[in-house]
Amino acid sequence: MKNKQVIGMIVAAVLFIVIGVTSVLTNTFSEKAFGMTAGEMLAGNYEFDAPSEDYIAVVRVEGVIQQQAEQEMFSMSSGYIHATTMEYVDCLMKDRHNKGILLYVDSPGGTVYESEELYLKIEEYKKRTGRPVWGYMAHYAASGGYMASLTADKIYANPNTVTGSIGVIMSGYDMTGLYEKLGIRYVSITSGEYKDSSKLDDAQVEIYQSQVDETYASFVSKVSKSRNMSEAEVKKLADGRTYTAKQAKDNGLIDEISLYEDMKQQVVKESGVNEFYEPEREGNIFEFLFVKAESLLPKSEAQVLKETAEEMESGVLMYYAEGLR
């Protein structure tokens, strides 16, 4: 074993011990002082401290729209956090000082489940409160990011926005050739002929295609409803391609092209409210102790291959624009 690998393992072991001890002490202190564990405290690391006067709430959808995994609580990522966003909108619904939402989208989309859940949550906000929603697209608002934008009463886009990509994707890799080359044999014992999808035949492809088609129909329906188009008109645009802001406006997918600050001034003019609010994420020193210490451990080619396969062969339905990240 090389010296660097030995050193890496020693450093990783020390870090894991420190992290473990710190975690126990932190949880013990947190439970005694606040009645909750450190993990529970970090899970809600956005504090809702809205103004006591009328305001427009900024709801940011930045990054991939996906499940909020437990390990993300301890990452230093400032990307989209699904559960927290849902809770934030719930708080806005109950706050009489909130007079609307500015939905800021900078996302290539994400999983069907979370994208639809976000869409439905904003729709619930509109239905329960009767308050307006303005949408702004930044670098990109594609696929699931575009779906989120459909909840807006009026959609603005930056002149350089990439949007569209209306469609569904379910993807994976056939790694059997590489497995054989590395001497890895995949074994599965199933209860039915369609249970194992590691080697797709035509019949299995047809099954998954029917699921993609059903989800696609749901997306098309949402675009049709929001943009006042027939489903036939939407389908002409919804072949998976992306659009520039100008192309999107010409095709009726957005309403206006504007810089963000100009758009905010328009919101002030329309609402009569000049106060904007968004919660700030509170940093925590213990987050730094949980930043992927395991990455210091060396991995074999077989381990890397296995992890890549597990990540890419998830078979999850996605409203996601390939290449936008």
Side-chain angles (χ1 to χ4, degrees), residues 116 119-120 123 146-147 150-151 166-168 212-236 238 253 319:
E116 292 249 7
Y119 172 89
L120 292 173
E123 286 290 295
Y146 181 68
M147 176 179 285
L150 290 173
T151 60
I166 302 168
V168 187
V212 168
D213 292 343
E214 180 181 319
T215 309
Y216 171 74
S218 175
F219 199 163
V220 168
S221 177
K222 290 177 175 61
V223 179
S224 174
K225 175 184 175 183
S226 173
R227 303 309 300 168
N228 195 27
M229 297 179 180
S230 69
E231 292 195 1
E233 289 175 314
V234 174
K235 287 182 179 179
K236 291 179 180 179
L253 296 176
Y319 292 135

Side-chain angles (χ1 to χ4, degrees), residues 42-308:
L42 289 173
N45 56 0
Y46 282 87
E47 181 180 353
F48 187 76
D49 55 351
S52 57
E53 58 186 15
D54 291 351
Y55 66 91
I56 303 296
V58 179
V59 176
R60 291 185 178 270
V61 181
E62 298 177 298
V64 179
I65 303 170
Q66 59 189 343
Q67 182 180 10
Q68 182 174 337
E70 183 178 353
Q71 61 265 29
E72 289 175 341
M73 294 189 305
F74 304 107
S75 73
M76 299 311 296
S77 171
S78 59
Y80 177 74
I81 304 178
H82 184 68
T84 305
T85 303
M86 298 295 99
E87 294 170 4
Y88 177 29
V89 177
D90 282 334
C91 289
L92 295 175
M93 281 191 261
K94 300 172 185 176
D95 189 354
R96 63 184 177 86
H97 290 296
N98 171 248
K99 300 301 177 184
I101 284 177
L102 194 168
L103 186 66
Y104 184 97
V105 179
D106 196 353
S107 170
T111 61
V112 164
Y113 186 96
E114 277 73 29
S115 296
E116 292 249 7
E117 194 169 47
L118 175 61
Y119 172 89
L120 292 173
K121 179 60 69 175
I122 303 297
E123 286 290 295
E124 179 189 355
Y125 168 89
K126 291 169 62 178
K127 184 176 180 180
R128 287 182 55 183
T129 67
R131 301 168 195 161
V133 174
W134 294 268
Y136 187 80
M137 299 176 172
H139 297 86
Y140 36 73
S143 208
Y146 181 68
M147 176 179 285
S149 301
L150 290 173
T151 60
D153 300 296
K154 192 171 184 178
I155 302 175
Y156 293 79
N158 184 276
N160 296 303
T161 291
V162 175
T163 187
S165 188
I166 302 168
V168 187
I169 185 171
M170 178 188 286
S171 61
Y173 287 104
D174 183 353
M175 311 289 284
T176 53
L178 284 175
Y179 280 155
E180 291 173 3
K181 185 177 180 180
L182 292 173
I184 300 173
R185 187 168 68 94
Y186 174 77
V187 177
S188 66
I189 301 171
T190 70
S191 57
E193 59 180 316
Y194 299 125
K195 185 64 177 174
D196 183 2
S197 60
S198 62
K199 295 180 180 179
L200 294 179
D201 57 24
D202 291 342
Q204 287 174 308
V205 170
E206 186 176 348
I207 291 171
Y208 288 119
Q209 184 64 57
S210 69
Q211 296 174 8
V212 168
D213 292 343
E214 180 181 319
T215 309
Y216 171 74
S218 175
F219 199 163
V220 168
S221 177
K222 290 177 175 61
V223 179
S224 174
K225 175 184 175 183
S226 173
R227 303 309 300 168
N228 195 27
M229 297 179 180
S230 69
E231 292 195 1
E233 289 175 314
V234 174
K235 287 182 179 179
K236 291 179 180 179
L237 303 171
D239 57 6
R241 76 181 68 185
T242 57
Y243 297 92
T244 65
K246 182 179 184 303
Q247 291 170 342
K249 188 173 186 300
D250 291 343
N251 284 294
L253 296 176
I254 67 171
D255 297 298
E256 299 290 343
I257 298 174
S258 171
L259 298 177
Y260 183 52
E261 291 303 321
D262 294 338
M263 179 264 191
K264 288 178 69 176
Q265 290 305 310
Q266 185 62 31
V267 171
V268 171
K269 182 178 179 181
E270 293 178 12
S271 66
V273 179
N274 57 17
E275 179 78 20
F276 290 89
Y277 163 76
E278 58 181 305
E280 294 183 4
R281 185 179 183 188
E282 296 183 345
N284 190 299
I285 189 171
F286 294 109
E287 290 183 73
F288 291 94
L289 299 175
F290 290 87
V291 181
K292 297 180 180 179
E294 68 274 16
S295 64
L296 293 173
L297 288 171
K299 296 181 180 179
S300 67
E301 291 182 2
Q303 285 177 301
V304 172
L305 177 61
K306 181 175 180 295
E307 291 176 6
T308 301

